[in-house]
Structures are given as structure tokens and as C-alpha cells.
Amino acid sequence: PHLTGEVVVDGMLDDWKDIPAISFETLLTPAMRARRLGAADFGVSMRVAWNEKALFVAAEIADQRHSNHYSDGRIEWDDSLTLSLSPMGRKPGCRVVLALGEHGPMSSTTPPGLAIQSSTVRRQFQTIYEAIIPWSALAGFAAIGGETCALGVTANDRDGEIDFLQVNNSGP
């Protein structure tokens, strides 16, 4: 939905209450559900909004065992959230990876150096990711009538050396 108010990227989702959540539960295969560590493991829900300046994304991922061992380009190999944006029918797009490592929040962008705002926090058995991605990250794209931008979302959950779950969702 179109965002008319303000969103603060702080790991608190109080300012997202008027944006409907999208559950990824129906995207999990029976095999993925069977590999969960418990009923609350790898539950993914997100909220997406936009205004004339940016795309706003918030995701809550339930995870009984948070894992991220990397601080380099491999941050998405463990628990992380990847956002891929692509203006329909045009290039270039952009890619944002958010993760929480042992030294705090981490992000990676393609192309490198995009001016995004992000927050990744851990509360009990939940990791909360927030990002504001300015439309200027998509060269030549403007959030006006008739323009469409595809958003791909990948949530990653690694609970062990070989136990890795990944769920994807995309669309305009």
C-alpha cells in the first residue's frame, strides 16, 4: 500500500500497524515444515509499503536458533533476508541483503554502496528486519502511475551445517 505516514527504521514495528502482513506459511513445502525445529521456527511474515521517495519493507522471522557466521559477501548463506528489486521491463535493478552477525547488523547491496536505511534486531526467538530503499537505487525509476517494480524476497534460515531452509516470493 501507499504509505502516508512515517516509518522509523528501529526494529520496532509499532509504526507498521496499518500495513497488512503477508505470511509466507503457504510457501513452505511439507518437507520444509518437517525440518523445522519447532512450531515457531522459520515463520516468515512481512509488510511492504511505498511512497514517492522509497520502498519500505519490514519482515519478522521466527527462528529458534539464529545463526550467522559470516561478515563478508556470504552473509546470506546463513540467517538473512534478501530483497531484489527490478523495474519491470528495464534494468538495472538492485539487491539488498540484511543479516545479524555476532557483532551486530550487517547489510550488503548490489550495486555496492546504495544509500539504504536498515535495521536488524533479535528479540527472543524472532529476528526483525526493516529497510528503506530509495527509488534512486533503481536508476531512472519513479514511483508514479503506470510504473511497476518487481520485488523478490528470499528468507534464509540455517540451523546447522547442512540444515538450510529458504523460501522465496516475488511479484510486481
Side-chain angles (χ1 to χ4, degrees):
H2 185 263
L3 183 66
T4 56
E6 293 292 320
V7 168
V8 178
V9 177
D10 58 3
M12 303 294 290
L13 299 182
D14 300 346
D15 44 0
W16 289 88
K17 66 183 178 311
D18 295 331
I19 306 298
I22 303 163
S23 173
F24 282 34
E25 190 66 28
T26 59
L27 300 174
L28 298 177
T29 66
M32 293 170 82
R33 286 189 185 97
R35 290 176 41 208
R36 287 175 155 174
L37 295 179
D41 193 38
F42 202 48
V44 180
S45 108
M46 66 180 305
R47 292 172 165 83
V48 178
W50 64 277
N51 68 17
E52 291 69 25
K53 296 179 183 176
L55 180 73
F56 301 80
V57 178
E60 299 172 88
I61 301 179
D63 190 5
Q64 292 179 268
R65 183 184 304 152
H66 184 80
S67 172
N68 200 305
H69 301 91
Y70 301 103
S71 59
D72 55 18
R74 300 174 290 176
I75 62 174
E76 66 187 304
W77 290 12
D78 285 332
D79 293 359
S80 60
L81 183 73
T82 301
L83 308 169
S84 302
L85 282 81
S86 179
M88 297 302 276
R90 289 189 280 145
K91 301 263 182 190
C94 74
R95 190 166 178 267
V96 175
V97 181
L98 305 174
L100 183 63
E102 59 186 58
H103 299 294
M106 301 180 289
S107 66
S108 169
T109 64
T110 305
L114 293 178
I116 65 163
Q117 294 178 49
S118 66
S119 171
T120 305
V121 298
R122 181 86 174 148
R123 286 200 188 85
Q124 297 178 349
F125 295 113
Q126 191 171 58
T127 306
I128 299 170
Y129 302 86
E130 285 184 286
I132 299 176
I133 304 168
W135 295 122
S136 61
L138 304 172
F141 182 81
I144 58 174
E147 293 281 352
T148 305
C149 182
L151 170 63
V153 178
T154 303
N156 299 304
D157 181 24
R158 181 178 299 278
D159 286 329
E161 288 302 312
I162 59 171
D163 192 16
F164 184 74
L165 294 173
Q166 184 179 68
V167 64
N168 302 290
N169 193 11
S170 62

